[in-house]
Structures are given as C-alpha cells and as structure tokens.
Amino acid sequence: MTSSARRSPRSIFLGPSAAVLVLAAAGCSLSDDRPSVPVPTPSAEAAAYCEALHEELPETILELERSDPSPDSELTAGWGDGAIVLRCGVPRPVKMDDPQSEGVEADGVQWMLEQPEGSGPRFTTTYRKAYVEVTLDSTYAHDITPLASFAGPVAKTVPNRL
C-alpha cells in the first residue's frame, strides 16, 4: 500500500505537467503572428496576371523583409509584418468613378490614392487588366516611395487595359 501511495502523487504531478507541455507545444505550432488579409477573388484572367506578379515581387522593400500575410495566397504579399501589404485581383474601387479622386505615378505605373479613416494610404493601379492594391501603414502617410518597388513587376506582368 505504501508503494501505491508513493506512485499516486507522482502520477498526479506528471499528468498535469504532460498536459501543460502538450498545450504549450500546440500553442507554439498553432500561433500565427502574421497579419490576416482578405484574399481577393478575381476572374481567371486577372488571377493569371496576379500569379505572374507574385513571382516578380521583391524580397525586400525599403529594407523591410518579405513576410506574407495569412492565409497563404499568390494573390497577397507583405513586407515588414504588415507595414506594406499587396493584394492583386481586387475589385475596381468605386472611387475610380470620382473625377476628383487623387492619383500618382510611380515609374510609369498609375495609382489611385485613397486615405481610409484611421489608417495609412491605400493605392490601387489604374488602367491595368488586374487591379493591384497596396496598403501602407501610417508610417508612409506622406510617402509614395514604396510604390517604386512595385512599378517594374506590375508593368512586366499586368498589361495595360488601354
């Protein structure tokens, strides 16, 4: 009886310890610190352009390393843990119908600017067969420099609509 009394405390102690280890391991493997970004649902034609664009995107932008958002998709990409996020194949923004909308040009690629409330700027390509959206965090509120990193890949893979 003494030997079973000695085993009981040990098994009670090991049971919770093993459970804690299993939960900790599961927590580490299941956690995903990547930002979540909605994946667009473009037409098959636009998706093909987006897949080609995905292959041409740079690994770094302004010293920010590529860190794609979740879920994994060839239609999304990111740099700097969400500081810069690209989505390809987004719907045509309604604001493009507004003749007062603002636009910028970066190395031959035209972008429409939107400034959503409480966040950084959002740019969407114009005159392309697939719409490419780039969202910048508030660090880039008055800086379009990151767009230059996308101009070459967009021009190479997403043809002009005109």
Side-chain angles (χ1 to χ4, degrees):
M1 200 125 176
T2 310
S3 64
S4 69
R6 286 183 186 159
R7 286 188 188 160
S8 291
R10 185 178 298 152
S11 30
I12 291 172
F13 179 73
L14 290 178
S17 296
V20 168
L21 288 174
V22 169
L23 289 173
C28 290
S29 63
L30 295 177
S31 69
D32 192 354
D33 293 339
R34 300 181 302 165
S36 180
V37 173
V39 176
T41 54
S43 68
E45 178 187 20
Y49 297 131
C50 293
E51 289 171 14
L53 173 63
H54 191 79
E55 296 298 316
E56 297 294 324
L57 293 172
E59 288 301 313
T60 59
I61 296 178
L62 301 177
E63 299 182 11
L64 297 175
E65 295 293 321
R66 181 134 176 209
S67 56
D68 289 347
S70 69
D72 290 332
S73 172
E74 291 185 332
L75 303 174
T76 61
W79 294 263
D81 294 325
I84 300 172
V85 174
L86 177 143
R87 298 187 325 134
C88 185
V90 298
R92 182 180 188 275
V94 173
K95 189 167 181 173
M96 282 192 184
D97 293 331
D98 180 358
Q100 302 299 317
S101 62
E102 296 180 50
V104 297
E105 189 233 343
D107 293 341
V109 175
Q110 301 292 322
W111 301 84
M112 182 193 69
L113 167 64
E114 294 179 272
Q115 188 66 50
E117 187 79 25
S119 65
R122 180 175 55 226
F123 298 91
T124 307
T125 56
T126 61
Y127 310 117
R128 297 276 164 186
K129 291 194 176 187
Y131 293 103
V132 178
E133 173 190 276
V134 173
T135 305
L136 309 175
D137 71 12
S138 57
T139 306
Y140 303 99
H142 303 288
D143 184 4
I144 65 166
T145 306
L147 295 181
S149 298
F150 299 113
V154 167
K156 180 177 180 180
T157 60
V158 184
N160 277 320
R161 194 175 287 279
L162 303 175

